[in-house]
C-alpha cells in the first residue's frame, strides 16, 4: 500500500461541514459514502490525503472530503495530480473525474497519467451523459442516445473507459457501480496497488440518464447479470449456475452452464489478475449475451513514475555540493588559450 503509517479514524473524520449538493437520488452520494467508509478501514491519514478533480458533477467531490483538495479545470486533473505526487510523494492522491471530463477534453491527460504509472487512485464516474451541462451526450453515451445535442439519437460509437485504460498501459483496472456493497473492496485493492489504479464506476444520473445501468446495476434483482471477479476464483455468475470459459477455436470467451459445483468440467476460467490478455477480453464483453465484468479485472504492479523521477534526481546531484549561494558567487569565467587566427 502507500508508504504511510496507518492512523485510526472514523467515517465522521472524513466528512466536511459543506452541504452536499447533488441532485436527490444521484449515484454520487453512494460513491461518496463508499469512499468515506473505505478510508478508515485502510488506515488512511486525512493530513496526507488529497482529492483532485476536474469539472463536472463528480468533480464536486473534494468539497465533501475532510482532506486537502483541488477543484481544477476541465480535463486537466491528471496533470495537477501528477504535480502534487511529484512535489510530495508521501501524499495519498485520489483523482476524481467523469466520462466527459476524463475522456473528452481530458483524454490526453488521462492517457499520460496511466502510461506513466503515477501512484494514485483514479475514480472515473461513468453515467454516459454530461450531467452538469444539462444532459448532452458524452463519449460513453450509447448509440441512439437522445439528448439536447443529439435530438435524433447519437450515432457515435461509445468509448469504453476500462478498455481505454488498458490500452493506455494501466497496470490496475477495476470496475464497480455506485450502490454496490462490493465497491469498497475495489477501492481497497486500488489503494494497495503501487502505481496508477484506474476504477470505472457506473453511476446513475437520476435526471438525464436515469436507470441506464439497471440491467446489471439495479439495487435489487440484477445480481445474476453481474460477474464479480476475484483473483484465484472461478469466473462464476448467476448463483454459480453459469461461468465464463475460453473458446479455444475462436480465441474468445463464452458462457457455459455449470452443473452443481463442477465448474472444472465446464471449463470455467479461474481469474488471474495478472493476465492482461484475459482482462482485455473481459472489458470488451458485450453485455446481454455476457454478464458485466466487475471487481478487479487487472492488477500487475510496475515501477512508478515518481520513483523513477526521484532516482534520476539522486543520480543528477550525486557528488555535487548543495550550496546555491556558493554557486551564484562563483560566477561564469573561463580562459581561452591558443593562437588567434587571422579573420577570413
Amino acid at each position: 500500500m502507500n508508504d504511510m503509517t496507518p492512523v485510526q479514524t472514523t467515517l465522521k473524520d472524513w466528512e466536511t461541514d459543506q452541504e452536499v449538493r447533488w441532485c436527490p437520488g444521484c449515484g454520487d452520494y453512494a460513491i461518496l459514502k463508499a469512499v468515506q467508509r473505505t478510508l478508515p478501514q485502510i488506515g488512511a491519514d486525512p493530513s496526507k490525503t488529497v482529492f483532485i478533480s476536474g469539472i463536472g458533477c463528480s468533480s464536486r467531490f473534494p468539497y465533501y472530503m475532510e482532506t486537502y483538495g483541488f477543484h481544477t479545470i476541465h480535463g486537466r486533473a491528471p496533470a495537477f495530480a501528477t504535480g502534487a505526487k511529484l512535489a510530495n510523494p508521501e501524499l495519498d492522491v485520489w483523482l476524481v473525474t467523469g466520462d466527459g471530463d476524463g475522456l473528452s477534453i481530458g483524454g490526453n491527460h488521462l492517457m499520460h497519467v496511466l502510461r506513466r504509472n503515477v501512484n494514485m487512485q483514479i475514480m472515473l464516474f461513468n453515467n454516459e451523459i454530461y450531467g452538469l451541462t444539462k444532459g448532452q451526450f458524452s463519449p460513453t453515451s450509447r448509440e441512439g442516445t437522445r439528448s439536447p445535442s443529439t435530438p435524433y439519437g447519437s450515432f457515435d460509437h461509445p468509448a469504453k473507459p476500462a478498455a481505454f485504460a488498458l490500452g493506455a498501459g494501466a497496470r490496475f483496472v477495476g470496475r464497480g457501480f455506485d450502490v454496490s456493497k462490493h465497491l469498497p473492496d475495489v477501492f481497497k485493492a486500488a489503494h494497495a496497488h503501487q502505481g496508477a489504479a484506474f476504477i470505472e464506476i457506473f453511476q446513475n444520473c437520476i435526471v438525464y440518464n436515469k436507470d441506464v445501468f439497471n440491467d446489471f446495476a439495479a439495487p435489487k434483482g440484477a445480481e445474476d447479470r453481474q460477474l464479480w471477479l476475484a483473483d484465484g476464483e472461478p469466473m462464476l455468475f448467476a448463483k454459480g449456475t453459469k461461468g465464463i470459459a475460453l473458446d479455444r477455436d475462436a480465441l474468445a470467451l463464452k458462457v457455459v452452464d455449470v452443473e452443481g459445483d463442477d465448474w472444472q468440467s465446464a471449463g470455467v476460467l479461474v481469474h488471474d489478475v495478472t493476465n492482461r490478455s484475459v482482462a482485455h477480453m473481459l472489458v470488451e464483453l458485450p453485455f446481454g449475451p455476457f454478464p458485466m465484468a466487475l471487481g478487479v479485472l487487472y492488477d500487475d504492479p510496475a515501477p512508478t513514475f515518481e520513483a523513477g523521477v526521484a532516482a534520476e534526481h539522486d543520480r543528477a546531484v550525486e557528488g555535487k555540493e548543495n550550496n546555491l549561494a556558493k554557486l551564484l558567487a562563483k560566477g561564469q569565467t573561463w580562459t581561452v588559450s591558443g593562437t588567434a587566427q587571422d579573420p577570413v
Side-chain angles (χ1 to χ4, degrees), residues 8 25 30 52 54 60 93 111 119 131 137 169 171 216 238 263 300:
Q8 289 189 343
I52 299 174
R60 298 188 62 81
V93 177
M111 176 186 72
N119 190 18
F137 83 116
R171 308 294 304 191
F216 67 89
W263 54 268
D300 190 16

Side-chain angles (χ1 to χ4, degrees), residues 251-334:
L251 288 180
L253 299 181
K254 62 180 179 180
V255 174
V256 294
D257 294 322
V258 177
E259 296 291 338
D261 296 327
D262 191 13
W263 54 268
Q264 293 97 332
S265 296
V268 174
L269 292 174
V270 173
H271 186 43
D272 176 3
V273 291
T274 66
N275 191 321
R276 191 178 190 88
S277 297
V278 173
H280 272 285
M281 288 191 280
L282 286 168
V283 301
E284 294 286 357
L285 290 178
F287 180 72
F290 290 89
M292 180 59 67
L294 301 163
V296 178
L297 284 74
Y298 182 62
D299 184 358
D300 190 16
T304 64
F305 181 67
E306 67 276 11
V309 170
E312 182 181 63
H313 172 268
D314 291 342
R315 289 192 299 270
V317 302
E318 185 177 2
K320 297 178 181 178
E321 185 178 3
N322 184 17
N323 189 326
L324 180 60
K326 184 177 179 180
L327 179 65
L328 292 174
K330 182 178 179 181
Q332 293 183 350
T333 61
W334 60 91

Side-chain angles (χ1 to χ4, degrees), residues 4-280:
M4 57 182 65
T5 303
V7 300
Q8 289 189 343
T9 60
T10 67
L11 182 149
K12 293 293 183 182
D13 293 316
W14 299 90
E15 296 178 336
T16 69
D17 59 359
Q18 299 296 301
E19 178 187 0
V20 182
R21 298 182 63 185
W22 286 309
C23 299
C26 175
D28 288 355
Y29 287 96
I31 301 171
L32 175 65
K33 283 303 176 187
V35 171
Q36 290 172 334
R37 291 190 181 99
T38 299
L39 293 172
Q41 296 174 20
I42 60 179
D45 184 347
S47 69
K48 293 183 178 180
T49 304
V50 57
F51 281 81
I52 299 174
S53 65
I55 295 296
C57 296
S58 64
S59 295
R60 298 188 62 81
F61 214 89
Y63 296 108
Y64 310 138
M65 297 299 303
E66 191 60 40
T67 66
Y68 293 107
F70 290 96
H71 187 181
T72 70
I73 52 181
H74 204 189
R76 273 66 175 187
F80 286 85
T82 299
K85 191 66 179 179
L86 290 177
N88 186 355
E90 291 188 3
L91 284 176
D92 189 9
V93 177
W94 295 74
L95 192 156
V96 185
T97 186
D99 49 298
D101 180 64
L103 292 175
S104 56
I105 192 170
N108 184 51
H109 291 277
L110 183 59
M111 176 186 72
H112 292 305
V113 79
L114 291 170
R115 73 170 180 84
R116 285 172 171 155
N117 200 32
V118 187
N119 190 18
M120 66 179 70
Q121 296 73 238
I122 303 165
M123 300 188 295
L124 186 143
F125 296 14
N126 181 11
N127 56 20
E128 297 186 1
I129 208 76
Y130 277 105
L132 187 66
T133 51
K134 306 301 183 282
Q136 298 88 345
F137 83 116
S138 85
T140 59
S141 294
R142 303 175 193 188
E143 294 178 23
T145 296
R146 292 180 178 271
S147 75
S149 52
T150 53
Y152 299 106
S154 168
F155 53 83
D156 275 8
H157 182 65
K160 297 180 180 179
F164 171 88
L166 282 170
R171 308 294 304 191
F172 179 104
V173 175
R175 263 186 182 160
F177 58 91
D178 45 17
V179 297
S180 171
K181 64 181 181 181
H182 301 296
L183 186 57
D185 294 329
V186 182
F187 291 152
K188 291 174 189 175
H191 189 265
H193 176 87
Q194 284 290 305
F198 179 86
I199 312 144
E200 178 185 9
I201 307 170
F202 298 106
Q203 177 255 322
N204 187 29
C205 177
I206 197 74
V207 175
Y208 297 109
N209 215 13
K210 184 179 179 182
D211 299 335
V212 70
F213 303 119
N214 261 11
D215 284 347
F216 67 89
K220 294 181 180 180
E223 294 82 3
D224 286 354
R225 297 181 291 280
Q226 301 167 10
L227 171 63
W228 283 99
L229 299 160
D231 190 34
E233 297 294 328
M235 297 185 187
L236 297 170
F237 65 102
K239 300 181 178 66
T241 62
K242 295 182 180 296
I244 300 297
L246 179 65
D247 184 336
R248 299 186 183 278
D249 293 329
L251 288 180
L253 299 181
K254 62 180 179 180
V255 174
V256 294
D257 294 322
V258 177
E259 296 291 338
D261 296 327
D262 191 13
W263 54 268
Q264 293 97 332
S265 296
V268 174
L269 292 174
V270 173
H271 186 43
D272 176 3
V273 291
T274 66
N275 191 321
R276 191 178 190 88
S277 297
V278 173
H280 272 285

